[in-house]
């Protein structure tokens, strides 16, 4: 785990084996989804540093995946790895619920890195 | 021929087509079926039959009507649905396999799913669209929508999502059935009747004095006439059964033909040719006096003539009955085998009076017998009060009489006061009343038969003796001095 100075870069995880794999199911491709993605990135940056991969799937384009994952509520965020599978629903504006729901690790938030979550 | 151009939507509201349920009795009340291409709400309390009705609508529609269907459950997974309802007499598992019926379960899982902000239920309509696209589905049942309200109470626009789904189904001209829980103050808990305003059916399930009564009522059916009453129904192992409405308006046919009792001496005692077809005969008497024998003898003689008989046995099982009757020379087994005789053993305590009556009526509807035997009516005392029993028996007799079915019933008359009153009521209604008692004479027990009443028949007023022997029962006229030509024996 490296401590990066300066501007935070969104890079893919360095150590693929340890990385969290999250899939976000949405039914929208506009601004609402953008907000959700930003909320998600913020939470992941804080909790997981760089060790995460996110897929975003629009269920309207992949209804078979919606069936496979039993998606009813959108957005739904599914933790694929680490196992077992966990999920939360909603626009992810309640970061505490996301962290709790996906059992994300907690790190001490340094004041300068704290980001305001958008909802 | 040139027609006026009527836009499709308007045409549909003028004369809606019907989607038959193929449920016995229900399509008559609905005047053909549910409104095709529209949505119907089935509303009722827990355990009142909503799921059964929804499944039957989809399953029978696929089996009998060739319409592919989709059943969506918000509560049970597909495998439980298939196993729980395996007994319904259309092959649900087979239909699922062949693609006639699709079963999907929708459940927000896990149960303690965290809500981290606002969400909608658009996944529902996306997946439903997908299922509908994959082939010609004409019927959809959505079962347990209230469950969704519970699971997703904080969803944004929940009601809008549901409205959207129903609207899409309507656009595709799919006949939809949704089930909803009854609320104590208004109709459905979540106001589904507002979403669906074409047809509303109410299922009621009441337990009074330990007897279950189920009633169905059409609350509303826009654009169609329908039965307005409360219709009793049963949920049997093979599905929902209503009593057909049309059968209630038949008139009783008068008959001039005779039916033999199977015992020559008894026919003679009744005037020579037996009883009138369609008449009701009551055999009352002491336990063991031979009532069942007389009943069985009648049944056997009727079946030998190629007619059909239903034998309701509240006392013995089929094998016991056949064996006992064989020992007195009445062969029932062969009539059972060639399908003329149907022996139905029933435990009196298995159901309440109303349900017994209903089941008997159902069996008659299904089998259309020429005669019915009830052995015996006194057993109902174990399950009801006298007033209720009398009312039920009178309804039963009325039901048979109106259909011209000959009825032979047995009743035990050595019980105390209760039996006497019931007997008094019934005996005044029946056409023929025969009493069988024991009389001891010189250390020997004789079975004595008296015809107490025989409407329209020139019957003998004296007593006769019933002889049970291996060649078959015989009735010999009582003689004052000594024995007559027949064998003596108990």
């Amino acid at each position: 785990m490296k401590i990066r100075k300066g501007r935070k870069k969104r890079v893919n995880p360095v150590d693929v084996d340890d990385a969290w794999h999250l899939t976000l199911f949405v039914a929208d491709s506009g601004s609402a989804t953008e907000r959700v993605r930003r909320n998600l990135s913020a939470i992941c940056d804080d909790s997981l540093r760089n060790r995460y991969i996110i897929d975003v799937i629009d269920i309207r384009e992949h209804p078979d995946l919606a069936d496979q994952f039993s998606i009813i509520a959108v957005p739904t965020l599914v933790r694929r790895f680490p196992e077992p599978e966990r999920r939360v629903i909603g626009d992810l504006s309640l970061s505490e619920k996301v962290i709790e729901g996906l059992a994300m690790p907690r790190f001490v938030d340094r004041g300068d890195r704290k980001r305001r979550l958008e909802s | 021929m040139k027609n006026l151009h009527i836009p499709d939507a308007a045409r549909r509201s003028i004369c809606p087509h019907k989607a038959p349920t193929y449920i016995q009795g229900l399509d008559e009340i609905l005047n053909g079926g549910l409104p095709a291409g529209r949505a119907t709400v089935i509303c009722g309390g827990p355990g009142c039959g909503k799921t059964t009705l929804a499944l039957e609508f989809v399953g029978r529609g696929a089996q009998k009507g060739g319409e592919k269907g989709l059943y969506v459950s918000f509560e049970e997974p597909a495998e439980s649905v298939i196993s729980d309802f395996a007994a319904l007499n259309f092959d649900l598992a087979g239909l699922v396999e062949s693609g006639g019926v699709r079963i999907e379960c929708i459940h927000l899982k896990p149960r303690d799913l965290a809500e981290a902000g606002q969400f909608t239920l658009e996944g529902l309509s996306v997946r439903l669209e997908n299922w509908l696209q994959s082939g010609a589905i004409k019927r959809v049942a959505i079962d347990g929508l209230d469950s969704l309200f519970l699971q997703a109470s904080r969803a944004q626009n929940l009601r809008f999502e549901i409205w959207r789904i129903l609207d899409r189904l309507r656009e595709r001209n799919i006949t939809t059935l949704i089930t909803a829980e009854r609320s104590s103050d208004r109709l459905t808990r979540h106001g589904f009747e507002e979403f669906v305003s074409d047809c509303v059916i109410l299922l009621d399930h009441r337990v009074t004095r330990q007897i279950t009564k189920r009633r169905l009522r059409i609350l509303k059916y826009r654009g169609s006439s329908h039965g307005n009453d409360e219709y009793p129904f049963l949920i049997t192992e093979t599905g929902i059964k209503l009593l057909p409405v049309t059968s209630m308006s038949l008139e009783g046919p008068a008959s001039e033909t005779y039916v033999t009792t199977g015992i020559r001496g008894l026919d003679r005692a009744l005037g020579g040719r037996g009883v009138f077809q369609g008449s009701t005969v009551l055999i009352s008497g002491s336990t063991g006096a031979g009532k069942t024998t007389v009943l069985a003898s009648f049944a056997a003689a009727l079946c030998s003539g190629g007619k059909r008989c239903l034998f309701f046995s509240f006392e013995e099982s089929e094998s016991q009955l056949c064996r006992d009757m064989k020992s007195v020379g009445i062969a029932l087994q062969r009539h059972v085998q060639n399908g003329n005789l149907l022996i139905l053993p029933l435990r009196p305590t298995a159901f309440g009076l109303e349900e017994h009556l209903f089941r008997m009526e159902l069996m008659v509807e299904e089998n259309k017998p020429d005669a019915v035997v009830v052995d015996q009516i006194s057993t109902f005392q174990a399950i009801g009060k006298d007033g209720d029993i009398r009312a039920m028996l009178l309804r039963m007799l009325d039901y048979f009489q109106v259909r011209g079915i000959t009825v032979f019933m047995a009743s035990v008359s050595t019980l105390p006061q209760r039996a006497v009153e019931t007997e008094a009521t019934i005996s005044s209604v029946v056409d023929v009343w025969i009493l069988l008692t024991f009389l001891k004479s010189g250390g020997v027990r004789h079975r004595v038969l008296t015809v107490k009443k025989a409407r329209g028949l020139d019957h003998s007023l004296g007593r006769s003796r019933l002889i049970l022997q291996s060649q078959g029962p015989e009735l010999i006229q009582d003689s004052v001095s000594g024995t007559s030509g027949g064998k003596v024996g108990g």
Side-chain angles (χ1 to χ4, degrees):
Chain A
M1 197 178 66
K2 282 187 180 177
I3 298 169
R4 290 178 183 272
K5 288 199 180 151
R7 261 183 77 122
K8 172 91 187 70
K9 278 197 289 179
R10 265 184 222 126
V11 291
N12 283 335
V14 175
D15 189 351
V16 181
D17 285 342
D18 272 346
W20 278 45
H21 183 187
L22 303 171
T23 304
L24 179 67
F25 292 91
V26 296
D28 174 76
S29 46
S31 55
T33 300
E34 263 313 299
R35 261 181 276 130
V36 179
R37 292 172 71 144
R38 282 203 289 272
N39 286 343
L40 181 56
S41 300
I43 297 168
C44 289
D45 285 348
D46 281 349
S47 291
L48 305 172
R49 307 298 189 209
N50 292 324
R51 295 176 296 121
Y52 61 86
I53 306 170
I54 299 180
D55 307 317
V56 180
I57 294 177
D58 188 336
I59 57 168
R60 294 170 305 174
E61 280 157 42
H62 304 280
D64 42 314
L65 286 177
D67 272 338
Q68 190 186 323
F69 285 88
S70 306
I71 305 295
I72 310 162
V74 283
T76 295
L77 178 64
V78 180
R79 184 186 87 178
R80 312 278 298 279
F81 185 87
E83 284 170 9
E85 183 193 282
R86 293 177 77 108
R87 55 174 74 188
V88 294
I89 61 177
D91 59 14
L92 312 183
S93 54
L94 305 173
S95 56
E96 255 309 301
K97 293 279 187 178
V98 180
I99 292 168
E100 229 178 271
L102 298 188
M104 285 176 147
R106 293 171 189 279
F107 295 95
V108 175
D109 272 313
R110 293 195 327 231
D112 54 316
R113 297 195 55 173
K114 218 166 161 152
R115 302 260 283 285
R116 197 156 273 163
L117 291 172
E118 298 168 65
S119 53
Chain B
M1 186 173 76
K2 283 223 171 112
N3 288 324
L4 279 174
H5 175 67
I6 304 171
D8 269 304
R11 180 182 292 124
R12 279 207 291 276
S13 57
I14 292 171
C15 46
H17 295 298
K18 303 291 177 87
T21 62
Y22 303 106
I23 291 175
Q24 190 177 340
L26 184 54
D27 286 335
E28 280 128 308
I29 300 169
L30 292 170
N31 233 312
L34 297 180
R38 306 289 185 84
T40 298
V41 176
I42 308 287
C43 176
C48 70
K50 305 190 291 292
T51 299
T52 311
L53 183 50
L55 265 175
E56 287 205 63
F57 174 68
V58 169
R60 292 188 196 285
Q63 189 200 49
K64 289 227 169 88
E67 293 195 335
K68 286 203 178 159
L70 168 67
Y71 171 81
V72 180
S73 169
F74 284 94
E75 284 154 355
E76 293 295 324
E79 311 79 47
S80 327
V81 173
I82 294 178
S83 63
D84 288 349
F85 291 90
L88 293 178
N89 66 357
F90 52 89
D91 180 17
L92 187 59
L95 282 172
V96 170
E97 230 181 272
S98 66
V101 170
R102 181 167 187 163
I103 300 182
E104 295 284 349
C105 175
I106 295 211
H107 203 93
L108 269 180
K109 34 179 200 247
R111 266 161 244 280
D112 54 350
L113 190 56
E115 292 172 20
Q118 293 183 341
F119 61 96
T120 69
L121 295 181
E122 207 172 328
L124 201 51
S125 41
V126 166
R127 289 169 69 189
L128 182 67
E129 272 295 319
N130 189 37
W131 298 332
L132 294 178
Q133 230 140 48
S134 59
I137 288 177
K138 308 264 349 153
R139 297 183 172 211
V140 170
I142 302 180
D143 191 11
L145 209 48
D146 298 89
S147 190
L148 186 66
F149 272 77
L150 274 178
Q151 295 171 41
S153 49
R154 278 184 295 274
Q156 294 295 99
N157 299 329
L158 176 52
R159 292 172 81 83
F160 173 76
E161 294 288 350
I162 293 171
W163 176 84
R164 184 156 61 159
I165 287 169
L166 294 178
D167 197 54
R168 283 215 183 119
L169 288 168
R170 190 182 162 123
E171 259 175 28
R172 287 167 170 267
N173 209 19
I174 291 175
T175 310
T176 306
L177 193 148
I178 69 179
T179 68
E181 288 280 323
R182 186 78 201 269
S183 153
S184 46
D185 43 342
R186 46 185 198 153
L187 190 60
T188 62
R189 197 162 288 150
H190 302 284
F192 288 120
E193 64 275 24
E194 298 158 29
F195 291 105
V196 171
S197 47
D198 289 291
C199 183
V200 181
I201 297 177
L202 210 58
L203 294 183
D204 192 58
H205 175 204
R206 265 169 268 159
V207 181
T208 27
R209 294 196 288 198
Q210 298 175 320
I211 297 175
T212 299
K213 290 186 206 246
R214 295 184 185 274
R215 298 282 185 270
L216 178 148
R217 186 152 67 104
I218 316 289
L219 212 55
K220 173 210 258 189
Y221 194 151
R222 200 207 278 173
S224 166
S225 59
H226 58 89
N228 284 302
D229 300 326
E230 278 195 329
Y231 300 94
F233 69 94
L234 280 186
I235 300 184
T236 68
E237 311 77 44
T238 51
I240 290 180
K241 298 253 164 67
L242 277 87
L243 216 48
V245 182
T246 48
S247 58
M248 294 177 193
S249 56
L250 282 179
E251 291 213 326
S255 173
E256 296 286 308
T257 23
Y258 291 89
V259 190
T260 172
T261 60
I263 303 172
R264 247 176 328 168
L266 185 51
D267 284 352
R268 251 181 280 129
L270 290 168
R273 285 176 283 180
V275 299
F276 282 117
Q277 185 180 305
S279 57
T280 310
V281 178
L282 174 68
I283 322 256
S284 53
S286 329
T287 314
K291 302 188 294 300
T292 306
T293 308
V294 176
L295 296 183
S297 158
F298 162 70
L302 188 98
C303 294
S304 296
K307 300 273 176 77
R308 289 164 62 86
C309 180
L310 271 187
F311 196 117
F312 292 107
S313 174
F314 290 98
E315 301 270 279
E316 296 175 291
S317 69
E318 184 179 318
S319 50
Q320 275 176 314
L321 184 65
C322 290
R323 181 201 62 201
D324 290 348
M325 290 303 107
K326 192 163 157 194
S327 69
V328 290
I330 302 175
L332 293 178
Q333 198 56 40
R334 64 185 175 98
H335 300 299
V336 174
Q337 266 156 9
N338 60 29
N340 286 337
L341 178 62
L342 189 56
I343 299 176
L344 296 160
L346 291 165
R347 268 179 27 250
T349 47
F351 310 110
L353 283 177
E354 174 114 13
E355 195 159 335
H356 269 297
L357 179 58
F358 203 140
R359 283 174 178 262
M360 288 167 74
E361 289 174 350
L362 261 184
M363 292 307 299
V364 169
E365 285 292 326
E366 277 172 30
N367 294 284
K368 304 210 185 320
D370 301 285
V372 164
V373 169
V374 185
D375 184 21
Q376 32 121 343
I377 61 179
S378 319
T379 49
F380 292 129
Q381 278 158 2
I383 51 172
K385 287 198 200 152
D386 298 335
D388 295 337
I389 297 172
R390 282 197 286 274
M392 176 242 175
L393 288 173
L394 291 175
R395 270 170 60 192
M396 181 186 84
L397 292 180
D398 190 59
Y399 181 87
F400 295 141
Q401 277 170 348
V402 146
R403 282 157 185 74
I405 296 174
T406 313
V407 186
F408 269 60
M409 310 184 287
S411 129
V412 177
S413 63
T414 47
L415 298 176
Q417 208 50 33
R418 291 183 79 179
V420 174
E421 278 168 24
T422 301
E423 200 171 85
T425 310
I426 304 302
S427 59
S428 62
V429 167
V430 302
D431 299 299
V432 176
W433 184 17
I434 292 169
L435 192 60
L436 256 180
T437 47
F438 281 114
L439 209 59
K440 254 215 288 214
S441 166
V444 179
R445 261 196 343 166
H446 299 277
R447 291 183 166 81
V448 177
L449 186 147
T450 319
V451 178
K452 298 203 73 167
K453 166 186 172 185
R455 268 195 211 136
L457 295 170
D458 184 19
H459 66 283
S460 96
L461 296 165
R463 291 193 304 195
S464 321
R465 267 185 301 143
L466 179 68
I467 315 290
L468 300 186
Q469 56 199 349
S470 54
Q471 301 98 303
E474 240 188 80
L475 199 71
I476 51 176
Q477 207 62 32
D478 232 8
S479 56
V480 175
S481 55
T483 58
S484 56
K487 289 198 188 152
V488 175

